[in-house]
Amino acid sequence: MVQLLLPCDTGAMSNHAIDPADEERHEPTSERFWSESYYFDFHDQDGSLGGYVRIGLYPNLGVTWQWACLVGAGRPLVTAIDHHAPLPPPGTLEVRSQVLEADHECRVPNQRFGVLIESKAVALDDPAQAYGPMGGEKTPLAFDLEWETDGPGGYRFRDMTRYEISCQVNGRIRVGDERIEFAGHGQRDHSWGVRDWWNMAYCWNAGRLEDGTYFHSVAPRTLDGEELPWAAGYVQAPGEALVPIHTSSAREETDANGFPTKGRIEVGDFHLDLSPLYVAPVLMVDPDGRVSRFPRTMARFSHADGRQGPGWIEWNQVQQP
């Protein structure tokens, strides 16, 4: 079963509470594409700097996928992508490979999660190089960042092994010889189950407007790009509880690389125009040869009432044979 394509919740908000025990790793089942994934996005308030980290465990393939990137105004994309890292020791999220060393630590369940990573990244003047050999300039990239829950709590998908948490993000970044003290916001999520990247398409987004309103949605699509009648997500006004949504839509225009040039998302009745800022894509290749392009993009989102704010949006673009 594809992980995203499950019934959405129509129950009370309490049904979305996150079990603190689920912050830790889970026992895999036997399916080839059973995986466990932690995402960590971040962006500053004005959208001039951002990035993300992902650790994806594939125990039945014997590998870890570890990603880290940094984007920003006047900067090349600096990215480290390792799809052949070893699995972490049991009970940990520590990854050591020739490309990077990383640790991901739940410090207080549902409240604080830290990420430490040092990587041999490359700087790409053209993000489309991420779909090829990635022969950019070698550039060290390191994060020492913490995601702290911002608001009353996160959002667990009903009948689905996944949750999302809006966060404040603080810490230090090193890129090349540059040192950056970072303070901003972002999103983290955790999911586990069967996920065949090459048999599913979707659009995911999360961001924060200038008044402190967070939003998030995910909506699956057919491989031909048609949106399916299922969605999940929330809108979280400052100081208020999450309001779950059950409808979502995304319409985008793209260039020859499949990178977005403009678009619009609908998170329930919360509608936002998006203006892409920086693309940090990943090429995903199945050992059997199937290919999917993943143009993860930091964007500026604009509400009709004038509120704006940065965030991240992604599409899984399965490449048809």
Side-chain angles (χ1 to χ4, degrees):
M1 180 179 291
V2 174
Q3 185 183 3
L4 285 173
L5 306 187
L6 291 170
C8 68
D9 171 47
T10 56
M13 185 60 225
S14 60
N15 291 329
H16 294 285
I18 299 169
D19 183 346
D22 279 336
E23 292 272 53
E24 304 301 328
R25 289 173 59 175
H26 294 77
E27 284 296 320
T29 52
S30 61
E31 294 89 345
R32 182 186 185 207
F33 288 119
W34 190 96
S35 67
E36 184 158 20
S37 171
Y38 294 79
Y39 272 100
F40 304 90
D41 298 335
F42 62 92
H43 54 79
D44 61 10
Q45 182 61 41
D46 62 4
S48 63
L49 187 71
Y52 66 86
V53 172
R54 176 180 185 260
I55 176 174
L57 310 181
Y58 299 87
N60 300 321
L61 299 177
V63 297
T64 295
W65 287 8
Q66 181 78 61
W67 308 341
C69 82
L70 185 73
V71 296
R75 299 174 178 272
L77 164 64
V78 178
T79 185
I81 299 170
D82 189 348
H83 287 167
H84 303 284
L87 291 168
T92 78
L93 291 170
E94 299 176 7
V95 180
R96 303 290 184 270
S97 76
Q98 294 182 345
V99 177
L100 52 84
E101 294 186 359
D103 193 10
H104 318 72
E105 178 189 21
C106 180
R107 295 170 178 168
V108 180
N110 296 356
Q111 292 297 321
R112 293 168 51 225
F113 217 110
V115 174
L116 298 168
I117 187 166
E118 293 205 18
S119 61
K120 299 175 182 178
V122 293
L124 305 178
D125 292 323
D126 180 0
Q129 291 175 268
Y131 291 157
M134 294 209 308
E137 180 181 355
K138 294 181 180 179
T139 305
L141 177 64
F143 297 148
D144 180 357
L145 298 172
E146 183 174 81
W147 278 253
E148 183 173 1
T149 299
D150 193 0
Y155 170 90
R156 180 179 63 84
F157 288 49
R158 179 81 183 277
D159 298 326
M160 191 172 174
T161 51
R162 180 188 183 95
Y163 57 85
E164 302 262 351
I165 303 178
S166 299
C167 296
Q168 298 180 19
V169 185
N170 293 276
R172 292 169 294 281
I173 298 168
R174 176 169 53 84
V175 54
D177 295 327
E178 183 182 6
R179 305 295 193 271
I180 301 168
E181 292 291 329
F182 183 82
H185 300 88
Q187 187 85 353
R188 70 176 178 97
D189 69 46
H190 181 197
S191 63
W192 58 99
V194 179
R195 178 181 289 183
D196 184 341
W197 288 95
W198 306 276
N199 193 35
M200 56 187 284
Y202 66 89
C203 178
W204 173 101
N205 61 79
R208 180 183 184 274
L209 301 183
E210 57 196 332
D211 70 336
T213 296
Y214 287 99
F215 61 89
H216 155 67
S217 73
V218 59
R221 300 176 173 184
T222 68
L223 296 186
D224 294 325
E226 180 182 351
E227 291 186 332
L228 295 170
W230 182 92
Y234 60 84
V235 176
Q236 179 183 343
E240 298 183 12
L242 299 173
V243 178
I245 63 94
H246 309 299
T247 60
S248 179
S249 178
R251 295 179 295 278
E252 68 279 352
E253 297 181 12
T254 59
D255 64 16
N257 294 307
F259 298 164
T261 56
K262 64 179 180 179
R264 180 176 175 84
I265 64 170
E266 298 176 1
V267 184
D269 59 2
F270 197 73
H271 298 177
L272 299 163
D273 292 321
L274 71 95
S275 300
L277 296 172
Y278 325 106
V279 185
V282 178
L283 183 70
M284 298 182 289
V285 181
D286 175 7
D288 291 339
R290 295 179 297 167
V291 175
S292 187
R293 291 185 169 188
F294 195 57
R296 226 163 185 267
T297 302
M298 187 170 159
R300 184 173 306 283
F301 297 87
S302 302
H303 194 276
D305 63 12
R307 288 178 295 164
Q308 298 184 0
W312 283 89
I313 186 166
E314 68 188 35
W315 296 264
N316 188 29
Q317 299 171 340
V318 179
Q319 304 299 291
Q320 300 284 26

